[in-house]
Amino acid sequence: MIYEDIRKTVLAAINEAVEKKLINGTSGNIAMRDSENPNIVAITPSGISYAGMKPEDIAIVEMMDDGTNKWIDGAYKPSSEVPMHTAVLRMRKDINATVHTHSMYATICAMGDDPELKPITPPQCEFTPVKVVGFTMPGSDEVAEKVAAAIGEKGRVCLIKNHGMFSCGKDMKGAMHAAVYTDEMAQTTVIAKTLGNYEPMPQKAVEAMQALIAADQAV
């Protein structure tokens, strides 16, 4: 089996996402760039149950020089969201793993006329600001372009209206970390607003925490 390492990494991540209830059924998708050939990407297949999935079931896609993506290996066709994952991977050479979930609380926080997601606890500060992308058809080049623009040169996470969340990282641990803490941020936000005691962290405290994280001094 070719590209076994990244296939195993993607499979482990999708199982973790299911266990943490970030993904249900066949929703959501996860991708990983190959360390030796940065144009090769392992990504979860389309419409296949994650229960019982094996490494060889993970699809392999090559990002071509003309901007297209070519399915080169795997029994099942790659996720329809290949354009979204590869748009970010093409734009950000520092990013090697991408995670797209349909997590409920993150989706709720993307709703409304002026949606906003702010950190409530210090670990959540690492992934803000969290931009919100307007709804466009899943799997389209348009949503791929909007997500890439929202992530930008330094972003780690964005929300997609009526769709879910997209996160990324230098490795799979980082991408999953971003997804988990952003979903926690969304959960605490929804519950706090429901209880009527919503108090996000002050912006100065957020900036101070981000400086600690950047300096690798966060506790």
Side-chain angles (χ1 to χ4, degrees):
M1 176 174 56
I2 60 174
Y3 305 113
E4 182 174 0
D5 288 347
I6 55 173
R7 280 173 147 156
K8 286 183 174 180
T9 299
V10 168
L11 180 59
I14 203 73
N15 286 332
E16 180 185 352
V18 170
E19 180 183 351
K20 293 181 182 299
K21 301 189 184 303
L22 296 172
I23 287 174
N24 295 308
T26 62
S27 69
N29 24 82
I30 293 179
M32 179 80 185
R33 191 201 306 267
D34 184 63
S35 59
E36 295 183 3
N37 185 344
N39 289 327
I40 295 295
V41 178
I43 188 166
T44 46
S46 177
I48 305 299
S49 174
Y50 299 127
M53 186 174 286
K54 301 181 291 295
E56 55 265 34
D57 296 331
I58 303 298
I60 299 295
V61 169
E62 182 175 4
M63 297 189 290
M64 309 303 288
D65 292 340
D66 63 359
T68 61
N69 302 297
K70 183 180 179 182
W71 173 23
I72 63 170
D73 196 62
Y76 304 106
K77 67 180 181 179
S79 166
S80 61
E81 296 290 8
V82 165
M84 182 165 62
H85 292 269
T86 56
V88 172
L89 291 170
R90 280 189 168 95
M91 177 185 68
R92 292 275 297 274
K93 304 306 180 185
D94 61 319
I95 293 300
N96 294 301
T98 51
V99 174
H100 169 48
T101 78
H102 291 185
S103 44
M104 178 175 65
Y105 287 98
T107 303
I108 291 170
C109 287
M111 293 180 179
D113 294 332
D114 190 22
E116 187 176 57
L117 187 58
K118 293 183 175 182
I120 294 176
T121 65
Q124 298 168 4
C125 297
E126 182 176 355
F127 310 106
T128 59
V130 179
K131 294 185 179 180
V132 181
V133 174
F135 178 78
T136 50
M137 287 302 294
S140 65
D141 289 338
E142 185 179 4
V143 72
E145 291 168 3
K146 288 187 174 183
V147 165
I151 293 294
E153 295 181 358
K154 296 182 179 180
R156 295 284 303 281
V157 183
C158 72
L159 306 184
I160 311 168
K161 276 196 174 187
N162 305 107
H163 192 166
M165 169 174 57
F166 183 93
S167 68
C168 58
K170 66 179 181 180
D171 52 27
M172 189 60 74
K173 181 180 178 180
M176 286 296 296
H177 197 67
V180 168
Y181 274 104
T182 301
D183 191 62
E184 180 190 87
M185 192 181 345
Q187 288 189 44
T188 51
T189 296
V190 170
I191 294 170
K193 286 185 174 181
T194 300
L195 295 175
N197 59 359
Y198 174 61
E199 290 186 35
M201 289 180 63
Q203 184 58 30
K204 285 188 177 180
V206 173
E207 292 171 0
M209 192 65 210
Q210 287 177 333
L212 283 176
I213 292 168
D216 201 24
Q217 295 179 7
V219 295

